[in-house]
Each structure stands twice: as C-alpha cells, then as structure tokens.
C-alpha cells in the first residue's frame, strides 16, 4: 500500500477556494479504483495549513488516479492558489 501526505500552505484570501477544490478532489478520488482512503484535514493550530492524506492499494491505482479528469483539473487549480509539498510512503 501507498500513503501520500500532501501539505498545502495557503493564504487567507485563497483558503476557501483551495478547501473547496480539495473537498471536490476528495469526493471524486474516493470513487477511484484502488483508493483505500482519501481525506482533507485542516490544521487546528495554523489556518494557513491543510493536508490531504491518501492511501492507495498499489502504484497502478495511484498512476491511474494521477491521470483521472478530476485530478488533472483540480490539482493544477490548487497548485495555482497554494504551495504543495508531497510525502510518499510504502507500507
């Protein structure tokens, strides 16, 4: 299995738009084959930090997800409004 933690640093003026896009991404991604878990979290201590936490069955499932319409539409939208940092783990 694979775990991805995507840290998103966003300004106050872009936070609502980023959170809306992230929630849309989560809803669509949960329907992807091989998706075990996918959620967005808001920091309890920093209003400028969000995190998307993903768990995938395997690399093949993650690769298909990265080419899905919702991914190629929403991720660039988020990247245009915020800084993203990815951490990837296999377990």
């Amino acid at each position: 299995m694979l775990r991805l933690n995507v840290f998103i640093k966003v300004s106050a003026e872009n936070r609502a738009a980023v959170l809306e896009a992230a929630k849309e991404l989560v809803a669509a991604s949960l329907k992807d084959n091989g998706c075990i878990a996918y959620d967005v979290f808001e920091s309890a201590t920093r209003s400028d930090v969000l995190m998307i936490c993903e768990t995938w069955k395997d690399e093949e499932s993650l690769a298909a997800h990265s080419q899905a319409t919702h991914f190629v539409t929403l991720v660039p939208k988020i990247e245009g409004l915020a800084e993203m940092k990815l951490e990837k783990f296999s377990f």
Side-chain angles (χ1 to χ4, degrees), residues 4-63:
L4 279 70
N5 295 326
V6 182
F7 295 92
I8 303 168
K9 186 171 181 188
V10 62
S11 66
E13 64 193 31
N14 291 333
R15 190 177 191 284
V18 168
L19 190 54
E20 180 181 332
K23 287 180 180 181
E24 187 177 341
L25 180 63
V26 167
S29 299
L30 285 168
K31 298 173 187 170
D32 289 346
N33 285 335
C35 181
I36 296 168
Y38 208 107
D39 209 342
V40 61
F41 298 94
E42 300 178 62
S43 173
T45 57
R46 292 186 55 192
S47 63
D48 65 331
V49 176
L50 305 170
M51 184 179 82
I52 295 175
C53 184
E54 315 172 27
T55 306
W56 294 93
K57 176 183 162 189
D58 52 31
E59 286 283 353
E60 182 179 53
S61 300
L62 178 58

Side-chain angles (χ1 to χ4, degrees), residues 78-89:
I78 295 169
E79 288 176 324
L81 297 169
E83 293 178 42
M84 297 175 75
K85 177 185 171 197
L86 172 70
E87 296 178 342
K88 183 176 175 183
F89 308 92

